[in-house]
Amino acid sequence: MDLEREINNILLGTAVCFKSELELLELGEFISNRIFGGLHFGGLDDHICEEIPAI
């Protein structure tokens, strides 16, 4: 396998923990505007657990 193809198959990830007094949608919009150029998060209809939206 050539190096370029091998690099494209690497999955990168990260985790960040923080506390905020913003509502979930406000926090999602804040993060989206600063990191993803305003791309809107989805997933309010999907849930990680019963009470946790998957935004």
Side-chain angles (χ1 to χ4, degrees):
M1 180 179 297
D2 65 17
L3 183 58
E4 182 178 343
R5 186 171 173 195
E6 188 173 331
I7 291 172
N8 288 334
N9 290 324
I10 296 173
L11 177 63
L12 300 176
T14 188
V16 177
C17 297
F18 57 89
K19 183 177 180 180
S20 173
E21 294 189 17
L22 296 174
E23 294 291 327
L24 183 60
L25 292 177
E26 293 174 308
L27 183 59
E29 183 177 353
F30 179 86
I31 292 170
S32 172
N33 287 335
R34 280 152 182 83
I35 298 176
F36 301 110
L39 181 66
H40 295 282
F41 288 107
L44 286 175
D45 296 330
D46 300 320
H47 291 77
I48 297 170
C49 297
E50 287 182 23
E51 65 280 355
I52 304 173
I55 145 174

